[in-house]
Amino acid sequence: MTTQVVGNNLMVNLEGETITVTPPKMRTIREMNKLSNDDFDSGMQSYTMILSKNTEGKEITVDMLLDYDIADIKQLASDITDWIENLKKK
C-alpha cells in the first residue's frame, strides 16, 4: 500500500488499484477524531470513511483494511493524518 499527495488529493494504491481520495469535510474529521479515540474497530472505521470519499466511487471497508499487516495500516494512518494536517495549514 502506497500513498502520494497530489494537489489537495491523496492517491492511495489499495488492492492493486489506485484511488484518488478527496479532502474530507470538517464533519468527517470531527467524527474521525471521536471514533479514533474509542477503540481499534472504531479507528479503522474512521479511516474507511476518509478513504471511501474517492473519485472512483469505490467503497472501502474495514475488512479490506484488515487484510493488510500492521505496518501498512500504521503507515496509512500516519499518511492520512499528515495529509489532513497539511490541508488545514492551507
Side-chain angles (χ1 to χ4, degrees), residues 13-16 21-23 25 29 43-44 52 55 58 67 89:
N13 185 310
L14 197 63
E15 297 186 333
V21 181
T22 57
K25 303 257 188 236
I29 294 171
M44 292 295 284
S52 290
T55 58
K58 183 175 178 96
D67 286 337
K89 293 176 185 175

Side-chain angles (χ1 to χ4, degrees), residues 37 58 82 85:
N37 293 327
K58 183 175 178 96
D82 291 348
E85 288 302 316

